[in-house]
Amino acid sequence: MLPMVSQVTNYTQEAVRAARYIGQGFLVTLSHMDRPPITIQYPYEKLVPSERFRGRIHFEFDKCIACEVCVRVCPINLPVVHWEFQASRKKKQLKAYSIDFGLCIFCGNCVEYCPTNCLSMTEEYELSVYDRHELNYDNVALGRLPSSTESDPMVYSVQNMVSLPKGAMESRSINKTATLMRPEGEA
Ligand code: SF4
Ligand code: SF4
């Protein structure tokens, strides 16, 4: 009789412990229901990148002096600078320029060190293609002005999460968002 009572007691204790764990799990879930969303409905909504976002590189052919500094500072010597020496002018003549975005790590070194500022980083981040070779941009593709999220009438551009359309946040108020985004320790 005694072992059976002991077994029932143990079983009851286990059941209570399991119920407590499930309750703790639900409490964690409930605490997250009060938080703002961190996802958007891409591609119908798109986040506007920050000013210093390092997206697709823009290249200005006319400004390039074919010095190849961009190649030397690139961690993988990626930019391809094709030039010919013009003896009459004693100058290099740029013929072609390309960067393969399938290999680029968007570190921005080439942009930083280019002496003529003919390279700049744009806010363009949609570079997906079916064939990776299409990511090898020549000077024509690099010279194309970047598409802007804000100028696309088909998408809702999202500056930040609190600029989502009315109702998207539902029970989540901006004040709560600000509280949640505040660093720990601040009142
Ligand atoms: S560093 Fe600038 S100017 Fe020199 S080759 Fe590269 S892009 Fe052209
Ligand atoms: S961003 Fe960095 S990796 Fe890409 S081409 Fe420039 S230096 Fe090279």
Side-chain angles (χ1 to χ4, degrees):
M1 185 70 185
L2 209 59
M4 195 180 154
V5 172
S6 169
Q7 271 182 350
V8 170
T9 310
N10 284 344
Y11 178 80
T12 310
Q13 283 173 345
E14 288 291 324
V16 169
R17 200 176 301 140
R20 198 186 309 137
Y21 289 152
I22 291 169
Q24 284 171 347
F26 271 118
L27 281 177
V28 172
T29 307
L30 286 172
S31 73
H32 281 263
M33 289 184 76
D34 204 25
R35 294 190 175 181
I38 56 165
T39 53
I40 55 167
Q41 299 301 312
Y42 181 86
Y44 309 108
E45 294 170 350
K46 289 182 189 174
L47 268 179
V48 178
S50 68
E51 271 179 35
R52 299 178 70 182
F53 182 77
R54 296 199 292 229
R56 196 261 297 171
I57 292 168
H58 178 252
F59 173 70
E60 292 173 73
F61 191 91
D62 296 340
K63 283 166 110 183
C64 181
I65 54 173
C67 63
E68 292 185 272
V69 166
C70 53
V71 184
R72 271 175 269 139
V73 296
C74 176
I76 46 175
N77 299 342
L78 190 56
V80 176
V81 188
H82 174 53
W83 53 268
E84 276 174 11
F85 186 73
Q86 286 197 328
S88 57
R89 292 171 63 213
K90 292 185 183 170
K91 261 187 161 183
K92 287 177 180 174
Q93 172 75 44
L94 183 68
K95 292 289 176 188
Y97 187 94
S98 65
I99 293 177
D100 188 346
F101 290 114
L103 299 169
C104 177
I105 57 170
F106 300 91
C107 64
N109 269 4
C110 53
V111 177
E112 189 74 24
Y113 288 94
C114 174
T116 60
N117 292 331
C118 60
L119 296 170
S120 55
M121 303 208 89
T122 69
E123 61 177 47
E124 204 174 295
Y125 56 86
E126 293 171 304
L127 294 170
S128 49
V129 286
Y130 286 106
D131 179 358
R132 67 188 169 92
H133 298 106
E134 287 173 29
L135 289 170
N136 192 1
Y137 280 37
D138 62 7
N139 43 272
V140 177
L142 285 169
R144 184 174 48 79
L145 287 174
S147 56
S148 169
T149 305
E150 286 164 285
S151 63
D152 189 345
M154 299 303 287
V155 299
Y156 184 86
S157 57
V158 181
Q159 298 288 346
N160 48 51
M161 289 306 162
V162 290
S163 70
L164 282 169
K166 216 172 182 181
M169 305 279 283
E170 293 191 344
S171 61
R172 301 146 176 167
S173 74
I174 291 170
N175 287 343
K176 280 176 187 166
T177 311
T179 312
L180 286 161
M181 289 170 79
R182 204 172 287 149
E184 271 181 38
E186 272 188 38

